[in-house]
Amino acid sequence: MKRRVAITGIGVISPIESGSGLDAFWQGLISGKNAITEVSSFSTDGFDTHVAGSIKGLAAKDGARWLDIVEFAFNTAVKDARIDASAINGINLGT
């Protein structure tokens, strides 16, 4: 039997204040912060653009996969919703 889950919190993955919390992200967003910068973590030779919005902290993690990023957002949403993580054990994100 599958259970439906609704997380009533917010988890944001964004180059704007990523990893600094929801309030910092929101303040950066409404203040018009521009998080697009010159790419410095790899060579952009051969690409049409040399700028991007990097997700600091997560992007630097060795072997980071999309699922790692989704899991980070999920955990942030659970924390924001003030849900006891032990109450949602058994939820499989596909790992």
Side-chain angles (χ1 to χ4, degrees), residues 2-17:
K2 290 187 176 184
R3 298 185 300 169
R4 293 182 183 254
V5 176
I7 303 298
T8 57
I10 299 171
V12 176
I13 302 298
S14 167
I16 299 173
E17 302 298 340

Side-chain angles (χ1 to χ4, degrees), residues 4-37:
R4 293 182 183 254
V5 176
I7 303 298
T8 57
I10 299 171
V12 176
I13 302 298
S14 167
I16 299 173
E17 302 298 340
S18 184
S20 300
L22 185 58
D23 290 335
F25 163 75
W26 183 248
Q27 290 304 314
L29 188 67
I30 63 174
S31 71
K33 182 171 183 173
N34 182 355
I36 306 301
T37 60

Side-chain angles (χ1 to χ4, degrees), residues 8-88:
T8 57
I10 299 171
V12 176
I13 302 298
S14 167
I16 299 173
E17 302 298 340
S18 184
S20 300
L22 185 58
D23 290 335
F25 163 75
W26 183 248
Q27 290 304 314
L29 188 67
I30 63 174
S31 71
K33 182 171 183 173
N34 182 355
I36 306 301
T37 60
E38 184 95 17
V39 175
S40 61
S41 57
F42 59 89
S43 173
T44 57
D45 293 343
F47 291 98
D48 291 337
T49 187
H50 304 286
V51 296
S54 295
I55 301 171
K56 294 173 180 36
L58 282 175
K61 196 169 136 180
D62 288 338
R65 301 174 302 148
W66 280 110
L67 194 56
D68 295 329
I69 296 171
V70 170
E71 185 175 16
F72 178 84
F74 175 84
N75 290 333
T76 303
V78 168
K79 182 179 177 183
D80 183 59
R82 295 181 181 91
I83 295 173
D84 179 7
S86 66
I88 59 171

